[in-house]
Amino acid sequence: MSDKILLQESTSFSSQQNVTVTSQAKQQNNNNTVEVTSSNNSKSVETTTNNNKKMENSGNRQQQNPHIDLSGNSTNYGCLGYTLLCVSIVFTAILFPFGACFLVIKVITEYERAVLFRLGRLQSGGAKGPGLFCIVPCTDEYRKVDLRTVSFDVPPQEILTKDSVTIAVDAVVYYRVQDATMSIANVENSDGATRLLAQTTLRNMLGTKTLAEVLTDREYISSGMQTTLDEATDPWGIKVERVEIKDVRLPVQLQRAMAAEAEAARDARAKVIAAEGEMNASRKLKEAADVMSESPNSMQLRYLQTLTSISAEKNSTIIFPLPIDIISSFMSRGNK
């Protein structure tokens, strides 16, 4: 009976352990599932927010001017427009193939794009090129856009810094066209607008800096100008690649004052260095005198070394040193 009771107790204890283990495993599984679902939800939220931001940015880029349709989907030419388009197509068919080489087929190089307008409306599909593309005579018009990097010099700007110093600063800007359609449709002259904006940005950036910051933080100012210009010219289809400050010209009076200040600082450092040298030399001379006073013959040897150095220079003057001991003995007798 006792054996049976022990077996029943052991089985009950093992069953309790199994129940606790299974409950812990279930809790861990639930926690893992909750963590996975929360991480997935956070990732999905992040992706949705990023997608929404991208959609908003693209929507803002496409809707900079509500009166301009950059998609090119509007093809309502009207009765007169369709009539003129049909006449142009018939005229092209009559002249084919001789007139096609001159009026219909156009060639765009690798670094160019063509923005096509039909009866004044922008065509869908974006810019054409590179290579061959066809147009309809009398109704289609295209404009070439160069995609190569363009550089220009910002003229010297008279700027009043934060510490009330007038300076003249010039810079160089590198940019390129990244969207040919926007550069034609959204702005009249993208090159001229970018040049004027670069001048204004240079004045605004340096007007908030002191003279010392302008002279020392050129890289930071250049990167800030690049970011500002890139954000401002993005609706025009322009990508600002690099901005560099070339030269900072100071007034003549300020240059003289800075030169005098630097010269005075150098003179002060030179005097301090000379004084430190004299102090170190006096200490060394004192140590040498203490060493020589211990042996009287060392003074005679020093005399002979001095004569040797003088005679090596081929001088006509001969110096005979007088022992100091003799002078000291005469002085002691006179005092007595």
Side-chain angles (χ1 to χ4, degrees):
M1 293 295 289
S2 62
D3 294 333
K4 290 180 179 180
I5 292 169
L6 291 172
L7 287 172
Q8 289 178 358
E9 290 179 354
S10 63
T11 53
S12 63
F13 181 71
S14 62
S15 63
Q16 289 177 0
Q17 286 182 347
N18 291 327
V19 170
T20 55
V21 169
T22 54
S23 63
Q24 289 178 358
K26 287 181 180 179
Q27 289 179 359
Q28 289 180 357
N29 291 326
N30 291 327
N31 292 327
N32 291 328
T33 55
V34 170
E35 289 178 356
V36 170
T37 54
S38 62
S39 63
N40 290 328
N41 290 328
S42 63
K43 288 181 180 178
S44 63
V45 169
E46 289 178 357
T47 53
T48 53
T49 54
N50 291 328
N51 291 327
N52 290 329
K53 287 181 180 179
K54 289 181 180 178
M55 293 294 293
E56 289 178 358
N57 292 329
S58 62
N60 291 329
R61 287 187 62 184
Q62 296 294 332
Q63 296 178 0
Q64 288 296 327
N65 193 341
H67 302 287
I68 299 175
D69 184 13
L70 296 178
S71 63
N73 296 324
S74 178
T75 58
N76 186 12
Y77 300 126
C79 296
L80 182 61
Y82 282 114
T83 303
L84 183 60
L85 185 61
C86 293
V87 171
S88 299
I89 293 173
V90 172
F91 179 72
T92 304
I94 293 172
L95 295 179
F96 189 83
F98 301 102
C101 298
F102 301 99
L103 300 176
V104 178
I105 299 175
K106 301 296 180 182
V107 181
I108 294 295
T109 56
E110 183 68 29
Y111 54 85
E112 291 179 337
R113 296 293 183 271
V115 181
L116 185 60
F117 296 90
R118 179 165 293 170
L119 293 175
R121 293 184 178 274
L122 187 65
Q123 292 299 296
S124 61
K128 309 298 180 182
L132 300 175
F133 71 99
C134 297
I135 63 171
V136 179
C138 303
T139 60
D140 289 358
E141 180 186 1
Y142 70 95
R143 295 184 182 180
K144 292 182 180 181
V145 179
D146 198 335
L147 301 183
R148 292 177 291 182
T149 301
V150 180
S151 63
F152 64 89
D153 292 330
V154 179
Q157 302 294 313
E158 293 287 338
I159 301 170
L160 184 64
T161 60
K162 189 176 180 179
D163 51 354
S164 302
V165 178
T166 303
I167 57 176
V169 184
D170 56 352
V172 60
V173 180
Y174 298 88
Y175 77 93
R176 61 179 174 85
V177 177
Q178 64 177 357
D179 193 329
T181 304
M182 296 177 68
S183 67
I184 293 296
N186 285 344
V187 63
E188 181 182 2
N189 184 4
S190 59
D191 181 73
T194 305
R195 291 173 183 269
L196 294 176
L197 185 61
Q199 296 179 17
T200 307
T201 305
L202 179 63
R203 296 176 68 90
N204 293 335
M205 285 289 294
L206 297 183
T208 59
K209 305 292 182 181
T210 62
L211 179 61
E213 292 175 349
V214 172
L215 296 176
T216 56
D217 298 337
R218 290 193 179 187
E219 294 182 359
Y220 177 76
I221 295 172
S222 299
S223 62
M225 284 186 60
Q226 179 183 353
T227 304
T228 304
L229 285 174
D230 195 15
E231 292 176 356
T233 57
D234 188 67
W236 304 339
I238 300 296
K239 174 65 177 177
V240 179
E241 295 180 344
R242 191 177 182 86
V243 178
E244 292 292 340
I245 296 176
K246 292 174 61 178
D247 190 14
V248 179
R249 298 185 182 89
L250 302 176
V252 179
Q253 295 179 355
L254 182 60
Q255 292 180 7
R256 292 176 181 175
M258 293 177 67
E261 181 181 1
E263 185 178 359
R266 287 194 298 269
D267 290 340
R269 287 196 298 270
K271 291 179 180 179
V272 170
I273 293 171
E276 290 178 354
E278 291 291 337
M279 183 175 62
N280 294 329
S282 62
R283 289 176 180 175
K284 297 298 181 182
L285 288 174
K286 181 179 179 299
E287 293 177 359
D290 293 337
V291 172
M292 294 178 70
S293 62
E294 295 177 357
S295 58
N297 295 327
S298 61
M299 185 62 71
Q300 299 296 327
L301 294 175
R302 184 59 182 165
Y303 288 156
L304 294 175
Q305 288 180 357
T306 305
L307 289 175
T308 303
S309 61
I310 293 172
S311 62
E313 297 178 358
K314 298 180 180 179
N315 293 325
S316 59
T317 304
I318 300 175
I319 300 174
F320 294 96
L322 184 65
I324 300 176
D325 296 335
I326 299 174
I327 298 174
S328 61
S329 63
F330 283 113
M331 292 177 66
S332 62
R333 289 180 182 175
N335 291 327
K336 291 179 180 179

